[in-house]
Amino acid sequence: MTISIWRYSHLTLAISSFFFILIASLTGIVLAFEPISKKLEPYSIENLDTISVSETIISLHKKYDEIISLEIDENDFIKTSVITKEGNNDTFYVDPITGNKLGKPSKKKPIYKFATNLHRSLFLKSTGRFIIGFVSLLLCLIAVSGLILIIKRQGGFLKLFSKVIKENFEQYYHIIIGRYTLIPIIIITVTGIYLSLDKFSLLPSQKINHSIDFEGQKKSTIIFPENFLLFKNTKLSTVKSIEFPFSEDEEDYFLLKLQNKELVIHQYSGAILSTKSTTLTDLFLHWSLLLHTGKGSYIWASILLLSCLGILFFIYSGFIMTFTRKKNSIIPKNNIKKDTAEYVILVGSETGTTYSFANSLYKALLENKQKVFITSLNNYTTYKNCKYLIILTATYGEGEAPINAKTFLTKIKNDAINHTIKYAVVGFGSMAYPKFCEYAIEVNQTLQQQANYSPILPIYKINNQSFDAFKYWAIELGKKLELDLHLKQQVFKVNKQYKLAVTENTNINCDNTFLVHLQPSKKIKYTSGDLLSIRPKEDNIERLYSIGKVNQKILLSIKKHEFGVCSNYLNTLNKNELVTASIKQNPSFHFPKKAKEIVLIANGTGIAPFLGMLHENHKQVKTHLFWGGRTEKSYKIYSKFIEDSIEKKQLHNLHIAYSQENTTKQYVQDIIAVNEEVIISVLKNKGCILICGSVAMMNATFKVIEKITVSKLHTPIDYFKKSNQIKTDCY
Ligand SMILES: Cc1cc2nc3c(=O)[nH]c(=O)nc-3n(C[C@H](O)[C@H](O)[C@H](O)COP(=O)(O)O)c2cc1C
């Protein structure tokens, strides 16, 4: 079964029961406080396993005329009903050793009464009870389908608790909280269903019937109850309740309810007249009540409370995820028939973002007066006049097709075309996954093997939905097609914008690189490794720069590109000029707080976040920096930051590779290979490796590290990536 069937079921169940689940969780939160507050009352009796029923009867008889009943609840409070020496009926919590009255049982507070009624039956009596029971079942199914989704997403049951790749806040915490609340939620729902079945008398009969033969009983000598052997040997910890004989009639008896059985006891001889074990139905009912309500345990009640809060978060995050997916997945309405189109855009998407890219390409082609048809990959069919097939697709699971592309490969393999079609494939994926853009690669390979298909451009892979990268690809496509493809980004959400003043802007060096120092106009939260998002007025396209935090200022290292709108804009800024930008938190690329040894690897401008991290390495954690640049002059621009860190013992080893300095070119991966002992020691000692810079450098570095981990640590590099010991921020 595909992930999407489970996702569909999860979503449908959640939407259909959302309102009732919301009420049940809100009231559940209120009700969870009841057992907690009860537990805080001062009536709990300790060491019930050392006090016998006899001792209790003796002490109560000393103080009161008659005992009617004794009850021990889940909080170890002992409630008794007595007739006092003054002849009055009284019910209170009692101390079994002294017989002293401890306090009166309090009445249920109105808020709890209200919440209980709403929680149990929505104030609708039997109909409400039925709805709530049914909703418990739905919630249980939602939890189970959620579990299956997580297992599928993580790549198997054993990886259930392995690292979750963060796509966005809602998705990430939906999974993280889901993993921890899953078992309590299943317990809440199963016990809820059981309690409902009981209310509708759908459980096997649970009444215990004692049959007592009083005729067969001999007239016995009178023994006082406190001297009954059974009462002497029975400790209060095993007792649920005792009903005392109502009158002196010999046919009136003691009814002793223990945790696992019920006994009828002759009131004069102490003989056991009948014993019946508690039925399984009764036992389950008892446990269902305790587990569903949290009675008797404030730890469990607190877990129930947190689970209800978790459910509220699932409602919120589920809603946001669905809404975003729906908003992203809008395919424009085609205004021509499929067989008229010369351009066909096929989209493979699961959560919808690829559609927004496809839409901007579709609009750009329309603006160029081209005949375009757009649809999803699964809808692929014949296109009579198609000259160009453009495929934009995401990758899911472990390198698999997204939901709306599952049938595409089979279809295209079985479809012979009799005219030439030029094609281009763009893969959307994330480098955080081992099989980066794998499905797009498969699509591209399949097209390569099909007769009559020829590529316009080689496959192009986009990491983390970079619109910049897509725009660049569109320019290349435009050149081939002799069209001006001006893509406009759909902007959904712009983070909070801040004004930053330029405090320093260096001259460009031999590599066209410069440093900008920016001072936020008010206090904002950021750290080295976070990203600064700038949208220049010219094109409003977001550019992301990795931040180094140095002396409470933002340090950016930027390479000026000849036609780069943003890099040229930043390069022309003078001191005190203001830049408008926002911060994108990037917690997966912060300086590790706990690692004992750290390796930082960068090339070119990728060093910027590391300059900040070294500057803030106040604990002087052992740190090695590997940097690759072109020449010694390239290094100059960073030297004062690095030398300062070495002096302050915030950087312990520096390794530099120059690619243009000597006759033999040296790259950062080469100096890593000759310093393999550093990599081994860091990975072995649960240290961390951070890589920042170009994707080409990252891939070359991965190859070298993989060789080291396999040969020296007998572990594939993926293990360290998944355990977060290797982190990247590459572009
Ligand atoms: C559960 C899950 C699995 C993913 N697996 C991969 C993968 O194996 N390879 C990859 O490159 N990207 C993977 N991605 C990233 C998506 O392909 C990427 O975020 C893409 O831009 C999403 O596009 P969409 O919103 O159109 O579905 C995965 C994302 C998720 C949520």
Side-chain angles (χ1 to χ4, degrees), residues 670-685:
D670 302 326
I671 49 172
I672 292 170
V674 292
N675 286 286
E676 61 173 28
E677 71 289 343
V678 178
I679 303 293
I680 297 168
S681 136
V682 168
L683 291 180
K684 241 186 177 172
N685 298 319

Side-chain angles (χ1 to χ4, degrees), residues 65 138 144 206 210 330 381 479 590 641 704:
D65 233 23
L138 296 187
V144 172
Q206 68 212 39
H210 292 280
I330 299 164
T381 175
K479 281 183 198 160
H590 289 168
F641 298 96
V704 172

Side-chain angles (χ1 to χ4, degrees), residues 553-569:
K553 287 184 201 121
I554 292 174
L555 170 71
L556 305 180
S557 171
I558 297 161
K559 190 167 171 98
K560 181 172 170 276
H561 297 280
E562 195 182 346
F563 301 111
V565 176
C566 199
S567 61
N568 277 289
Y569 157 67

Side-chain angles (χ1 to χ4, degrees), residues 3-255:
I3 191 165
S4 9
I5 289 175
W6 291 109
R7 181 174 290 155
Y8 184 75
S9 320
H10 190 69
L11 187 66
T12 314
L13 289 166
I15 290 175
S16 53
S17 52
F18 138 80
F19 177 68
F20 300 108
I21 293 179
L22 182 69
I23 290 183
S25 337
L26 287 171
T27 48
I29 290 172
V30 175
L31 291 174
F33 284 100
E34 197 182 12
I36 298 175
S37 62
K38 195 94 192 138
K39 197 78 194 158
L40 296 176
E41 290 177 9
Y43 308 131
S44 183
I45 306 296
E46 285 181 2
N47 305 328
L48 287 181
D49 52 349
T50 60
I51 310 165
S52 71
V53 173
S54 280
E55 285 170 274
T56 313
I57 294 176
I58 294 171
S59 53
L60 292 188
H61 267 153
K62 275 189 200 151
K63 299 239 162 167
Y64 312 103
D65 233 23
E66 203 179 304
I67 314 169
I68 300 167
S69 68
L70 201 72
E71 227 177 274
I72 300 168
D73 72 11
E74 49 294 317
N75 296 307
D76 292 342
F77 295 180
I78 303 179
K79 191 166 82 179
T80 187
S81 280
V82 297
I83 296 180
T84 60
K85 300 264 188 220
E86 296 77 37
N88 299 325
N89 253 324
D90 201 2
T91 300
F92 50 84
Y93 292 124
V94 72
D95 181 330
I97 308 275
T98 60
N100 285 345
K101 183 172 171 175
L102 297 177
K104 283 290 238 186
S106 53
K107 279 202 181 133
K108 202 175 171 86
K109 290 202 173 100
I111 169 98
Y112 295 135
K113 263 192 198 164
F114 175 82
T116 307
N117 272 332
L118 192 55
H119 190 83
R120 269 194 204 152
S121 64
L122 308 164
F123 293 106
L124 295 174
K125 303 208 169 110
S126 298
T127 318
R129 275 186 186 273
F130 174 79
I131 294 174
I132 290 294
F134 188 64
V135 166
S136 290
L137 175 69
L138 296 187
L139 184 56
C140 186
L141 296 176
I142 294 172
V144 172
S145 53
L147 171 69
I148 293 168
L149 279 172
I150 302 179
I151 292 174
K152 288 203 169 259
R153 185 199 159 94
Q154 296 294 89
F157 183 73
L158 296 178
K159 293 187 191 153
L160 185 62
F161 277 90
S162 60
K163 185 190 156 206
V164 175
I165 293 167
K166 190 170 181 178
E167 306 281 331
N168 54 57
F169 172 84
E170 287 81 15
Q171 158 271 350
Y172 183 72
Y173 287 104
H174 202 85
I175 298 174
I176 297 285
I177 299 176
R179 290 195 301 204
Y180 291 107
T181 52
L182 181 81
I183 291 179
I185 289 177
I186 289 189
I187 293 176
I188 293 172
T189 54
V190 170
T191 52
I193 296 167
Y194 199 80
L195 292 171
S196 299
L197 290 177
D198 176 56
K199 287 292 167 233
F200 287 99
S201 307
L202 292 172
L203 297 174
S205 171
Q206 68 212 39
K207 277 258 166 293
I208 296 181
N209 284 320
H210 292 280
S211 55
I212 311 160
D213 176 16
F214 285 104
E215 295 299 311
Q217 293 293 316
K218 277 191 262 154
K219 271 249 177 281
S220 46
T221 46
I222 297 177
I223 307 174
F224 289 112
E226 53 266 38
N227 295 327
F228 291 174
L229 202 59
L230 179 69
F231 286 174
K232 281 187 171 174
N233 292 338
T234 304
K235 302 292 181 201
L236 291 184
S237 55
T238 61
V239 175
K240 274 164 98 182
S241 66
I242 310 174
E243 283 169 30
F244 286 68
F246 190 63
S247 71
E248 288 175 5
D249 186 336
E250 218 168 333
E251 291 197 4
D252 261 343
Y253 47 78
F254 284 95
L255 181 65

Side-chain angles (χ1 to χ4, degrees), residues 448-501:
Q448 267 169 6
Q449 287 154 12
Q450 296 296 105
N452 290 334
Y453 279 100
S454 75
I456 325 171
L457 285 172
I459 180 171
Y460 189 74
K461 296 174 221 157
I462 293 181
N463 181 32
N464 281 345
Q465 297 145 11
S466 158
F467 195 80
D468 248 1
F470 186 57
K471 212 181 156 206
Y472 168 80
W473 170 85
I475 291 170
E476 295 301 304
L477 181 73
K479 281 183 198 160
K480 294 275 176 188
L481 303 173
E482 295 178 3
L483 299 175
D484 175 24
L485 292 180
H486 181 70
L487 301 190
K488 287 188 200 106
Q489 185 173 17
Q490 273 179 278
V491 180
F492 294 126
K493 185 179 155 195
V494 177
N495 284 352
K496 196 165 181 217
Q497 302 279 308
Y498 299 100
K499 293 261 181 256
L500 313 166

